[in-house]
Structures are given as C-alpha cells and as structure tokens.
Amino acid sequence: MNKQQLIDNIFQKKSFLCVGLDTDIKKIPQHLLKEEDPILAFNKAIIDATAPYCVAYKPNLAFYESLGVKGWIAFEETIKYLKSNYPDHFIIADAKRGDIGNTSAMYARSFFGELDIDSLTVAPYMGEDSVSPFLTYEGKWVILLALTSNKGSHDFQLTSDTEGERLFEKVLRVSQNWGNDENMMYVVGATQGKMFEDIRKVAPKHFLLVPGIGAQGGSLEEVCKYGMTKECGLLVNSSRAIIYADNTEKFAEVAAAEAKKVQEQMAAELAKL
Amino acid sequence: MNKQQLIDNIFQKKSFLCVGLDTDIKKIPQHLLKEEDPILAFNKAIIDATAPYCVAYKPNLAFYESLGVKGWIAFEETIKYLKSNYPDHFIIADAKRGDIGNTSAMYARSFFGELDIDSLTVAPYMGEDSVSPFLTYEGKWVILLALTSNKGSHDFQLTSDTEGERLFEKVLRVSQNWGNDENMMYVVGATQGKMFEDIRKVAPKHFLLVPGIGAQGGSLEEVCKYGMTKECGLLVNSSRAIIYADNTEKFAEVAAAEAKKVQEQMAAELAKL
C-alpha cells in the first residue's frame, strides 16, 4: 500500500486506528479454547468486529512465536484472512527485527516476499545495512523504532551526543538518508506527550506508528495535538484495551464498541484539520 | 548452563568456537533437497561433524523464519536434537529480540521456558524493561548487542555523548545494573579489532559473543589479543566459512575439517593463558 492510499483510507473511514493483535492464549475467552485454532478464531472474530473502525492491524510476533509452530500457523493464517477479506487494511508485522545485511535480507524475504505484509517494525541499533534490505520492496514499509513508549526508552534513546542531538533524533535524521516518507515510518510512543513536537521538527512528513494509548496510559488528544500533520501522519495503536475489553462470549461485540469509541475521538481530531 | 560449566567445557575441549547454523535452503547441498526436512538433515550432519571442535551452536532465527511454519519446525527439531545428543553444547538463539516488558516476557517464555535454550541475543535500544524479563530465568543468558560486526555499527553505536561515552560503552555500563557476568554476555564483532580493549575496560569479566570471523573478515588472532580474559571470556562464532565450506556429499566432512582448523588456532591461543 502506498502513502496516498493509506491517507485516503484514513480520511474515508475517519479513523487512524491500528488494532494490535497481541493475542495471548492465556487471555482469550475460555469458550474459544475448544476451537481447532483458538488464536485464529479469536483474531477472525476481533477483525470482523473492528474492521469498520480501524485502518490497520498489527500482530505482534512475540505472541505467536511463544506458541512455537502452532503460533506461526495462526500468524500466517491471520495474515491470509486479512489479505483475502480486508485488502484495504494496512498490515504491520510488529517484529522489531534488525540484523546484519544478509540476515535482514532473509527477514525481508519472509515478511515482504512470501507473506506479502505491508510493513515491519525494525530496530535501528545496527545501522544502515541492517535496515536497507527492507527498503528494496516496492510498496512495502519499514517502521523504525525511534522513541518507544516504555520506561526503558529513557535509558539510551534520550542520550544527547556532543552536538546536543539525542539518539532518537539522530535515528530520525540519519535514517532519512536510507529511505523516505513513502517507505519509512517511525515508532513513537503515545506516552511521550510533548516530545512529538521534537519528532516533527526532524520528521515533519513521515507517518508515525504510535503505540501506548489504552493499557500503557498515553493520551490520544496529546498525541494529536503535538504529532498530527495535514495528512494525519499518525497510526495510533491500541491492543489490550480493545481486544481484551471483555472475555465472555460477547468479547467481539465489546471490542467493536471500544474500537468505535476510539474511532469517534479520531474523527473529531481529523475534523479539526 | 552456568558460567563455570561453560569455562570448563572451553578448557577441556580447547575450543571457544561457536558454529552458526545460518541454514539457507538455497545454499545447502542439492542432494539434501530430497530429504523430508532438508534444513534439519543439514543441521544434524553439520552438528555431528563439528561437535568435537566447538562448544556452542548458534541458529539464526531469520533463516528459519524465512521458511515460515516449516522453518519453525526445523528450528525446534534442531534444538531438540542438540539437547538430546549434545547436552554440553551451549545453545544461542540468535534472534536479536527486545520489546516492551510484557512482550519481552512472551519471548522469554518461548525461548527459555518452552524451548529451554541457554541464551538469546537481545537488542538494547528499548532499555531496561525490554531486557530484564529475560534475566529472571535461572541458568539462562541474555546476550546483548554492544558493538556489532557490520558497517552500520558506525551509524549509532559509536556516537559519543556529552561525557565522551560512546553508545556501546553506555550499553555495556548501564546494562550491568540489570544483570551480571553470570547471566549476561555481549555481542562484539570480530571486525572491531582494537576496540576490544575499550570493551574490556568497561566489561572486564563478561563473556563476549564474537561474530565476524570467516566470511565477514575479522581476525581471530586480533580478537584474542585484545579481548581474551583469564577465563577465556570469548565465544567466537563462524557460520558461513564452516557450514558452506563445501556443497557436495562431503559437506559435513569438509565442515568438520574447517572447524578443526579454527579449533587448533583456538587451542594455541588458550595455551598462551
């Protein structure tokens, strides 16, 4: 999916919500455990229920890998289900990969080549040759970690260099030599508040993937205030607050209601543009 | 495996070689393609042939993931094969993971809990809470990226902060508040030469996992000169130069001969201690 298509989807649906499919076998409703593939059954129900209110889905690979082979099957089947039934939804494999060139190329082949996923989150620590193999696929996106939502983001990402540039700013600046706003986005945590202003100084046009509203406590209003662009420029993710809003047989219905609430707030924010 | 056991294995076998199982279906000998699981067949043959000359194996997850579900089966079966037949060999899952706390905890459950692998490579960018969930498993190790072997290591890892401390040094220093030399190692590329001296100033006792000899051009002699400790303190990895030394029916034999050559150099280095 290219940038204009993503923007069109956002304004048409009045939503920039990404639903995080952090599906944990220990947290899904009990009655699903009798299904042949409970994870897939849960994902299908969540997807069908929330699709009208979101523009993207983000399965986090950790949750699938933790189940080994069964988890990988559930992941691949979820991707196939999305691509067949909801081809206009942007898919993010939240994998935070990044390795030496020939290894990153293997990951790219897997996620972009074989699974045909739109985008992948990538960690920047290993530099250009760990990221660039992902940038050679037409219509595919790297979503590079910049300033994450967790407490540990303060350990290294905020370190200032001798020029006064902080590490996350250096990542934003330097990586713009590798790709552009048509094939790169950045991860910026919703918990970072006013820091979005600093992000926008370095990356005024890039889309930002914003985790951390909901369970992690970030504010949608603040994210929009400091991070939104004329093209929206945001994909805001919510995982636990939507998918685990209820764990009875009504879980999908309740998830839809939660997604709708967020979508309505987003519609109000988009209306301000 | 604890640190003393690893040291004992090294001095007993006169080797600190780690064989990297970067098994690529496109590179293995043609005759294996008729096997039910060619990746597993290749790994078993390589392991049986090289086990006398090495103390560790390091499958790189990217190579397995690139084959999807089949790849995960081959990975899990390789781990089972190692654990049943070579329980004294240290196993490193080279995955370079690292995510917010609850997600890292899922990865830890998968690699340490279920697969019972000795260690996992982890990326430091997201800080303490992305690493600490891996440190709660007795006898398991985090191997944190510090100064990697690739060209891109210069992009961010060498950035000096306002105190003159470079990012990789900060990673080495700060992470010692999270774990110790009994549950953490660091990745330092063999291509970094004299930089090992700087590493040893900050982390004098930790084991270092050293990729980059062989295909990437690092020198074993230089690594030992600047990085070796009285306890050895090194696990030096070679992947491509050993496992793809030959691609005929004699591949395993040739791999063994290559591993033996490296082991003999290592024995000479250990004899200097």
Side-chain angles (χ1 to χ4, degrees), chain B residues 26-44:
Chain B
K26 295 186 179 171
K27 286 190 186 166
I28 66 176
Q30 286 268 318
H31 73 276
L32 291 177
L33 300 179
K34 67 176 188 293
E35 299 282 334
E36 197 190 326
D37 185 339
I39 298 287
L40 181 62
F42 179 82
N43 284 353
K44 282 183 175 178

Side-chain angles (χ1 to χ4, degrees), chain A residues 9-236:
Chain A
N9 289 343
I10 288 171
F11 284 92
Q12 199 184 319
K13 298 183 80 174
K14 298 185 175 60
S15 172
F16 44 98
L17 174 62
C18 174
V19 172
L21 299 171
D22 296 4
T23 309
D24 184 344
I25 191 88
K26 295 187 178 168
K27 286 192 185 163
I28 65 175
Q30 285 268 319
H31 72 276
L32 292 176
L33 300 179
K34 66 176 191 291
E35 299 282 335
E36 198 191 324
D37 185 339
I39 299 287
L40 181 62
F42 178 83
N43 285 353
K44 282 183 176 177
I46 290 285
I47 291 165
D48 290 341
T50 58
Y53 311 113
C54 70
V55 293
Y57 287 101
K58 178 174 79 62
N60 186 319
L61 268 288
F63 290 80
Y64 300 86
E65 284 186 22
S66 75
L67 299 176
V69 170
K70 273 188 194 169
W72 262 91
I73 294 173
F75 173 71
E76 291 191 2
E77 290 300 317
T78 299
I79 300 301
K80 278 185 205 159
Y81 187 75
L82 279 168
K83 294 201 74 77
S84 315
N85 298 284
Y86 302 97
D88 291 338
H89 283 70
F90 189 77
I91 307 177
I92 301 165
D94 194 3
K96 302 189 176 68
R97 299 297 193 260
D99 207 313
I100 64 169
N102 77 317
T103 307
S104 277
M106 294 295 286
Y107 280 128
R109 192 163 101 191
S110 166
F111 290 103
F112 293 162
E114 288 172 34
L115 294 168
D116 196 22
I117 291 171
D118 296 293
S119 66
L120 184 76
T121 58
V122 176
Y125 192 75
M126 293 181 68
E128 178 170 9
D129 55 330
S130 71
V131 176
S132 52
F134 296 106
L135 293 170
T136 59
Y137 288 76
E138 181 75 25
K140 303 298 183 190
W141 297 74
V142 161
I143 308 183
L144 200 63
L145 301 185
L147 188 57
T148 57
S149 58
N150 62 323
K151 190 163 163 268
S153 65
H154 294 250
D155 289 327
F156 306 119
Q157 297 165 24
L158 297 179
T159 302
S160 287
D161 69 11
T162 48
E163 314 286 312
E165 186 176 46
R166 287 166 291 184
L167 179 60
F168 76 92
E169 290 167 321
K170 186 167 184 178
V171 167
L172 291 169
R173 181 178 57 79
V174 170
S175 63
Q176 290 181 48
N177 300 322
W178 314 336
N180 54 51
D181 64 327
E182 300 275 346
N183 64 6
M184 283 186 98
M185 301 187 187
Y186 297 104
V187 173
V188 181
T191 50
Q192 302 292 353
K194 272 197 86 171
M195 299 283 271
F196 276 85
E197 281 188 335
D198 299 332
I199 300 276
R200 283 303 181 199
K201 283 179 197 153
V202 197
K205 287 185 165 182
H206 286 72
F207 260 85
L208 307 179
L209 170 64
V210 184
I213 67 159
Q216 292 182 66
S219 147
L220 178 65
E221 212 178 345
E222 217 171 47
V223 168
C224 293
K225 185 171 171 189
Y226 299 114
M228 201 174 235
T229 68
K230 284 184 186 165
E231 294 173 320
C232 178
L234 299 171
L235 285 174
V236 173

Side-chain angles (χ1 to χ4, degrees), chain A residues 72 125 128-129 146 150 155, chain B residues 72 99 125 128-129 146 150 155:
Chain A
W72 262 91
Y125 192 75
E128 178 170 9
D129 55 330
N150 62 323
D155 289 327
Chain B
W72 262 90
D99 207 312
Y125 192 75
E128 178 171 9
D129 55 330
N150 62 322
D155 289 327

Side-chain angles (χ1 to χ4, degrees), chain B residues 176-190:
Chain B
Q176 291 181 47
N177 300 321
W178 314 336
N180 55 52
D181 64 327
E182 300 274 346
N183 64 5
M184 283 186 98
M185 303 186 186
Y186 297 104
V187 174
V188 181

Side-chain angles (χ1 to χ4, degrees), chain A residues 125 152 156, chain B residues 97 122-128 130-131 144-146 171 178:
Chain A
Y125 192 75
F156 306 119
Chain B
R97 299 298 193 259
V122 176
Y125 192 75
M126 293 180 70
E128 178 171 9
S130 71
V131 176
L144 200 62
L145 301 185
V171 167
W178 314 336

